[in-house]
Amino acid sequence: MPNLTLFFASVLDADRKGTQLYEFWGREDRPPRPNDPARRGAFFDPSFLAWRARFERLSLSPGALRTMYPVCDLDADVRSVLGSIRVPTLVFHRRDNYWIPVAFGRYLAQHIADARFVEIEGVDHFYYQGDVDGILSAVQEFVTGEHEAPDDDRVLATVLFTDIVGSTEKATSLGDQAWRDLLVRHHALVRRQIAHFRGREIATAGDGFVALFDGPARGVRCGLAIRDAVRPLGLEVRAGLHTGECVRMGDDVGGIAVHIGARISAEAGPSEVLTSSTVKDLVVGSGLSFRDRGSRVLKGVEGAWRLFEAT
């Protein structure tokens, strides 16, 4: 098998001199990186920080890092040697990378003989965030020459929507900085509950979350736990859940089930966790209790839907 050269159009997460990188390598108390617009809240999430620290420890020892990092210094200019590379080369880059313009990745591919360039959607800088499947698929095809047979793009799941009640008024009363700080704490609490109930975060839009669960009871309990967890912050959330067939679209999901879940969430009041009758029927025997909230017409959804409040 020929030698492989994989050029990841990426740089180490560190200050330019590497001093902070050396000091906090493999530690969970690393100072946050608030200039990451795609995943800002993750760097305040204890579960993410623990995963990141373990990832670093398994990747390199501090001694090996001190040896390798100067070679990868951001001031290094390797343009003059690109033409001498004579091994199979894969270059991939996220199109809207917020740290390194995609033109840099294209330049590498253009100046390495017979290099293959793969441009991936997204803004994330780190390869382990965002569309990870797109990267793994590109590497697998490059190494083996074959794509893994894709899974069915439809999956039966419970979708949970959460949203902060009165967020505009709260932001106005607190001011920009205090509101941003409060959102960071809110996001960390929500992510902690999603992870605890074995859910998968799908999207974060403003102050709301979308998460997917393979069990409806876990989804309902997660909604209730989020409701209770954010109250000490002086916040109230509304939540909505529905179980149905979701369409997987990379890291995102779509389909009528997701649309119904969003509409149910919009019907919820402060500190309410509303579910469809489908969810209620599926969790019989789980110990969860519900209050009948009557029938509603959901915008964009045919017919009337019976909704229930999880208590």
Side-chain angles (χ1 to χ4, degrees):
M1 184 176 184
N3 291 327
L4 301 176
T5 303
L6 301 180
F7 271 88
F8 291 74
S10 174
V11 293
L12 292 173
D13 171 30
D15 59 52
R16 296 179 69 85
K17 295 185 181 302
T19 53
Q20 188 181 88
L21 179 67
Y22 298 146
E23 181 181 355
F24 290 97
W25 186 258
R27 290 169 48 180
E28 297 180 21
D29 57 346
R30 172 197 295 271
R33 304 285 298 186
N35 58 334
D36 176 349
R39 302 280 170 167
R40 181 178 293 115
F43 289 94
F44 293 85
D45 184 348
S47 61
F48 173 83
L49 293 175
W51 177 90
R52 170 73 181 254
R54 184 173 183 270
F55 171 83
E56 291 177 352
R57 292 193 298 270
L58 293 175
S59 301
L60 285 174
S61 67
L65 177 70
R66 289 181 178 274
T67 300
M68 293 180 62
Y69 180 69
V71 179
C72 303
D73 189 273
L74 301 184
D75 292 326
D77 187 346
V78 298
R79 288 176 294 177
S80 62
V81 301
L82 296 179
S84 64
I85 297 174
R86 291 291 184 271
V87 293
T89 302
L90 170 67
V91 180
F92 59 80
H93 201 118
R94 288 202 172 99
R95 182 169 301 151
D96 299 307
N97 186 309
Y98 53 85
W99 274 353
I100 302 179
V102 69
F104 284 36
R106 292 171 183 159
Y107 181 93
L108 282 177
Q110 290 166 1
H111 290 79
I112 298 174
D114 300 320
R116 183 183 305 175
F117 180 65
V118 177
E119 193 169 303
I120 300 172
E121 294 286 347
V123 301
D124 292 281
H125 175 69
F126 299 108
Y127 63 86
Y128 50 76
Q129 294 178 315
D131 181 15
V132 176
D133 289 340
I135 293 176
L136 292 177
S137 177
V139 172
Q140 182 182 39
E141 183 182 15
F142 180 71
V143 174
T144 68
E146 297 180 355
H147 270 302
E148 183 175 322
D151 294 332
D152 186 3
D153 62 354
R154 304 183 72 86
V155 59
L156 183 65
T158 298
V159 60
L160 165 68
F161 282 81
T162 70
D163 184 44
I164 296 177
V165 177
S167 58
T168 301
E169 294 80 1
K170 193 78 171 178
T172 301
S173 66
L174 289 176
D176 291 343
Q177 185 58 54
W179 174 244
R180 282 195 295 268
D181 293 342
L182 185 60
L183 272 186
V184 166
R185 297 169 64 192
H186 165 269
H187 284 21
L189 285 173
V190 172
R191 288 192 171 103
R192 193 174 305 152
Q193 296 304 329
I194 291 173
H196 177 73
F197 289 97
R198 298 190 309 215
R200 179 163 67 93
E201 179 185 339
I202 299 299
T204 307
D207 52 42
F209 276 78
V210 185
L212 219 59
F213 298 82
D214 58 10
R218 284 199 298 274
V220 174
R221 289 193 170 96
C222 183
L224 294 170
I226 290 171
R227 177 199 66 185
D228 296 339
V230 302
R231 278 175 173 163
L233 300 181
L235 296 175
E236 287 189 289
V237 296
R238 59 170 61 88
L241 297 103
H242 178 62
T243 300
E245 201 171 50
C246 302
V247 181
R248 292 186 292 193
M249 302 178 293
D251 276 356
D252 204 356
V253 293
I256 187 63
V258 176
H259 183 73
I260 292 171
R263 293 307 180 193
I264 292 174
S265 177
E267 293 289 324
S271 293
E272 285 186 343
V273 179
L274 288 188
T275 78
S276 64
S277 59
T278 306
V279 173
K280 173 183 175 294
D281 293 343
L282 287 171
V283 300
V284 170
S286 65
L288 290 166
S289 300
F290 295 87
R291 181 181 299 118
D292 192 338
R293 293 294 305 277
S295 295
R296 309 281 180 90
V297 175
L298 305 179
K299 185 178 179 180
V301 182
E302 185 178 352
W305 286 74
R306 197 70 171 264
L307 303 185
F308 296 85
E309 179 187 357
T311 59

